[in-house]
């Protein structure tokens, strides 16, 4: 191919592959202790149950499952999903749409709302994959500052007033990448600000059920009186990411636009995958399964926090009550991106924090995932990282 | 929701829901004989085999199948798919990408190539779903005329010279909606025109294996020396549409851009669905299954053509050698869109042809699907339609 004659669309200008996925390739070697991904533990993946259920649904409704389905969703799942969502988020929702992983929910919401140059407010840092999604829609991404309890309300209102944004993207519980939870008393004000300024809120809450301490609280959506909040959910962390089943729930007009967008994207989410999740809900398998996952993840998180306690002075880190990630700020002047190569050479991987900031910087930060490593691996890997940080501190 | 404050993206301006999908809803009632969809026959859906294979792959590789996969595809499937594609289309392909139904292939190709206002050349008429997809990318859709053997080469070259298009979209075999096959001696010239004018060709060929008469010939892709032709394929018509597994194959740089686009769309196609199709290929189940499907579809097509032979003088229709559709032109002055309501009241449905033309018009045309009705239903339904056409002719 003569690359000079091949004219790609401008939405790719300045976009490279996802940094995380490139790191995945670098670390795909035996013996690597990876704190880099966001993968569930293999032990958390219910392969025997899925096997049993797949057989069951194909026996019961095989012809319909293999036929084209409605973009709106597989009928039995639509029913069980609506009940599930309303219980989860503590309010009624006018419409739900099953999607091919909650990544697709973000894509469809951008498709519905964003013209090039439109502003999306995001937490700073935020989830890399969805920042990339927004860039493909040529949005102007404006970060809003947080403290240890999530988005700062005065900064948020300033940004809404100044930029007249189309969307606010927020991960309220055990945020990716920081592990922070948005204070429950900031949630009603955010719903009210959204209505005041006419901003659609994408409340992306895939980690909410992975709680190892403390108690949960209301969703932003539960305070939404006019329909500005769209709740994005996922079964990736509590059943399986490989099945690619998520959902969005909210105002009927917004969901309708997303449904139209989905018609031209993948027509519908695969029926078999919807039917499998439907049976997890109908057979009420989630509570016990989630309890099992959480028992194990709790130990893994605690092992990681214990090790971080021994890191050199000046190291700061979050102490999440759940989720999959711990966020680390190394002593000033250290560079987590530079350190990564040495870490990988020593069989430990993580994601440098700079990638999660809309405008880069913050080179002394990194994101650590604990769900995909055993407690032993966590101790070993964290001790390796501690040694590297200690050496870097000495060189400073 | 105060709809005046809700600001949707301009890509929805002038887009309504897919006309076909709206018709689907209208006809979802018992006793309806539907020639409207493009659904495989229930008998063609291998539910028992999928059940057996799902169990097999979940037993063998369940943990990997339920985990996140690579955007590039499930490794075993990537291997079997490449072999399959190369055998099917008679040439080597530098890269393949499994996608969530071949609808997603079109979406990703537009995402990679199309800025608002860019020109896409299409057959006239063409597949409604993908015309809708192009509209979402705010492409300028320019139809190119065909004769009974598909695209007219001189018109195609004129359009390439005049519009400097980014893409040409063509369904070469048993086209949707006309059932026409692009003459095999026009395929090399199209590949050469694409290279001459620097136009990417989307060769969308989901019906190629559904052949009931005659012999096939080379793909456009097989004449492609520089990489301008991207081949889009689907397992929807030969295994199951509900599984949502298709693929695209072509130049590595183009597939790479589509892969990056897919990262932000659904991360990857569900592994279970890829693994199931992988086993259909590895266990060599397709030839026998396709032969079974074709034996039945051949009888259904023949029943429909037999009935059309008795339609009023002035009725013209295609006589396809395969695929799922017959295209009918009613006598001049008749209106298939107006007639639909009466047909549905008499329990017969079809899609008015006007929906498939980029610029509308052609109100006397309609598309008939024969795969999803029994031979008896075809006789009954076509006799109903014939009566309606006869009545309309009398009123003229």
């Amino acid at each position: 191919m003569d690359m000079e004659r091949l004219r790609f669309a401008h939405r790719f200008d300045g976009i490279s592959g996802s940094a995380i996925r490139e790191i995945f390739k670098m670390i795909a070697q035996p013996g690597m202790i990876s704190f880099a991904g966001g993968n569930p533990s293999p032990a958390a993946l219910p392969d025997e149950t899925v096997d049993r259920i797949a057989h069951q649904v194909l026996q019961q409704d095989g012809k319909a499952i293999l036929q084209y389905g409605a973009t709106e969703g597989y009928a039995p799942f639509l029913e069980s999903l609506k009940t599930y969502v309303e219980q989860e988020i503590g309010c009624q929702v006018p419409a739900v749409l099953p999607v091919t992983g909650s990544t697709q929910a973000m894509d469809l919401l951008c498709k519905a709302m964003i013209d090039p140059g439109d502003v999306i407010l995001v937490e700073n840092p935020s989830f890399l994959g969805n920042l990339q999604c927004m860039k493909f829609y040529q949005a102007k991404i404006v970060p809003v500052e947080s403290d240890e309890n999530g988005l700062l309300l005065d900064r948020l209102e300033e940004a809404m007033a100044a930029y007249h944004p189309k969307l606010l993207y927020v991960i309220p519980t055990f945020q990716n990448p920081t592990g922070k939870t948005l204070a429950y008393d900031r949630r009603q004000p955010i719903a009210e600000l959204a209505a005041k300024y006419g901003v659609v809120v994408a409340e992306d809450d895939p980690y909410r059920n992975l709680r190892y301490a403390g108690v949960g609280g209301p969703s932003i959506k539960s305070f939404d009186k006019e329909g500005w909040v769209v709740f994005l959910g996922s079964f990736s962390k509590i059943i399986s990411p490989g099945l690619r089943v998520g959902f969005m729930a909210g105002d009927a007009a917004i969901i309708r636009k997303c449904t139209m967008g989905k018609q031209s994207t993948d027509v519908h989410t695969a029926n078999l995958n919807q039917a499998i999740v439907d049976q997890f809900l109908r057979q009420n398998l989630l509570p016990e399964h989630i309890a099992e996952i959480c028992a194990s993840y709790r130990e893994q998180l605690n092992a990681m926090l214990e090790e971080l306690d021994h890191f050199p002075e000046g190291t700061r880190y979050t102490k999440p009550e759940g989720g999959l990630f711990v966020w680390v700020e190394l002593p000033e002047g250290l560079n987590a991106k530079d350190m990564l190569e040495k870490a990988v050479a020593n069989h430990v991987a993580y994601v440098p924090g700079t990638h999660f900031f809309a405008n880069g910087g913050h080179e002394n930060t990194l994101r650590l995932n604990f769900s995909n490593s055993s407690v032993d691996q966590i101790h070993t890997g964290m001790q390796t990282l501690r040694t590297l940080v200690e050496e870097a501190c000495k060189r400073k």
Side-chain angles (χ1 to χ4, degrees), chain A:
Chain A
M1 173 62 73
D2 176 355
M3 293 302 292
E4 289 188 9
R5 297 181 65 212
L6 190 57
R7 296 161 290 157
F8 288 119
H10 289 300
R11 67 177 60 80
F12 278 85
D13 296 350
I15 284 192
S16 53
S18 154
I20 290 193
R21 296 190 77 85
E22 296 307 317
I23 292 171
F24 281 172
K25 285 176 198 164
M26 182 169 84
I27 65 179
Q29 43 180 284
M32 182 66 62
I33 296 175
S34 175
F35 304 137
N39 288 12
S41 160
L45 298 170
D47 54 334
E48 288 175 18
T49 310
V50 169
D51 184 15
R52 175 176 66 74
I53 288 178
H55 176 61
Q56 192 180 335
V57 297
L58 283 165
Q59 288 270 314
Q60 282 172 359
D61 202 24
K63 293 290 187 188
I65 284 171
L66 296 187
Q67 189 57 276
Y68 278 112
T71 305
E72 289 81 358
Y74 178 64
F77 183 47
L78 262 184
E79 193 182 85
S80 62
L81 178 62
K82 190 158 188 293
T83 305
Y84 167 78
V85 176
E86 293 183 345
Q87 282 177 352
E88 275 292 311
I89 67 178
C91 63
Q92 292 205 304
V93 289
V96 293
L97 177 67
V99 292
T100 309
S102 69
T103 291
Q104 191 185 54
M106 194 65 213
D107 186 57
L108 295 176
L109 203 51
C110 286
K111 192 172 184 174
M113 306 301 306
I114 301 299
D115 288 312
D118 281 348
V119 170
I120 304 179
L121 302 182
V122 301
E123 293 166 288
N124 200 31
S126 186
F127 171 43
L128 188 57
N130 281 349
L131 293 177
Q132 181 92 317
C133 174
M134 296 169 201
K135 286 180 192 163
F136 273 123
Y137 284 92
Q138 296 160 290
K140 179 171 161 60
I141 299 173
V142 175
V144 177
E145 292 310 312
S146 295
D147 62 16
E148 65 278 15
N149 294 310
L151 283 171
L152 290 163
L153 295 176
D154 53 348
R155 298 296 184 86
L156 181 61
E157 179 154 14
E158 280 167 28
M160 284 189 176
Y163 293 102
H164 202 36
K166 283 271 189 88
L167 278 177
L168 162 66
Y169 175 65
V170 55
I171 307 166
T173 318
F174 316 134
Q175 198 239 15
N176 180 1
T178 63
K180 289 178 191 172
T181 291
L182 177 65
Y184 293 105
D185 62 7
R186 293 186 191 178
R187 296 180 179 211
Q188 182 166 359
I190 288 177
E192 289 168 356
L193 286 173
K196 178 175 174 186
Y197 290 95
V199 177
V200 171
V201 179
E203 182 179 18
D204 185 14
D205 210 8
Y207 311 108
R208 67 193 327 275
N209 298 111
L210 301 179
R211 174 174 288 281
Y212 323 129
V215 287
S219 61
I220 304 172
K221 179 68 190 160
S222 68
F223 297 110
D224 174 29
K225 291 183 182 151
E226 295 183 17
W228 293 98
V229 182
V230 180
F231 186 89
L232 317 187
S234 174
F235 296 98
S236 290
K237 313 303 178 193
I238 53 176
I239 300 178
S240 152
L243 286 178
R244 313 301 309 130
V245 181
F247 62 89
M248 54 201 306
D251 176 76
I254 298 175
I255 298 296
R256 173 73 191 136
K257 279 282 191 286
C258 293
T259 306
M260 287 169 59
K262 184 170 167 64
Q263 281 179 8
S264 297
T265 297
D266 63 1
V267 186
H268 64 83
T269 294
N271 298 322
L272 176 58
N273 311 247
Q274 294 186 67
I276 289 170
V277 175
D278 175 54
Q279 284 302 316
F280 265 88
L281 300 180
R282 286 177 191 270
Q283 298 179 22
N284 197 27
L285 301 173
L286 280 182
E288 193 181 337
H289 182 61
I290 290 170
E292 277 173 30
I293 298 174
C294 287
S296 171
Y297 286 177
R298 181 183 296 117
E299 289 181 22
Q300 290 159 264
L301 169 61
N302 288 340
M304 187 168 271
L305 294 176
E306 194 182 305
E307 290 293 340
L308 279 165
D309 195 33
H310 303 301
F311 270 49
E313 208 183 309
T315 303
R316 297 168 59 200
Y317 54 95
T318 55
K319 293 178 183 171
E321 294 188 326
L324 300 176
F325 305 109
V326 177
W327 180 253
V328 182
E329 288 180 41
L330 299 177
E332 283 293 332
L334 266 58
N335 187 317
K337 207 170 162 187
D338 292 348
M339 205 178 73
L340 179 61
E341 201 178 327
K342 206 170 280 184
V344 169
N346 286 281
H347 308 290
V348 182
Y350 57 84
V351 181
T354 184
H355 298 306
F356 299 96
F357 290 91
N359 301 321
H362 305 81
E363 278 80 4
N364 63 326
T365 61
L366 57 143
R367 188 192 74 174
L368 296 174
N369 162 264
F370 52 84
S371 61
N372 205 26
S373 304
S374 69
V375 167
D376 281 353
Q377 286 174 323
I378 289 168
H379 285 299
T380 307
M382 291 301 289
Q383 283 160 21
T384 301
L385 284 188
R386 187 181 70 188
T387 306
L388 289 175
V389 174
E390 284 168 353
E391 286 171 4
C393 285
K394 278 180 204 150
R395 276 199 309 276
K396 215 173 37 164

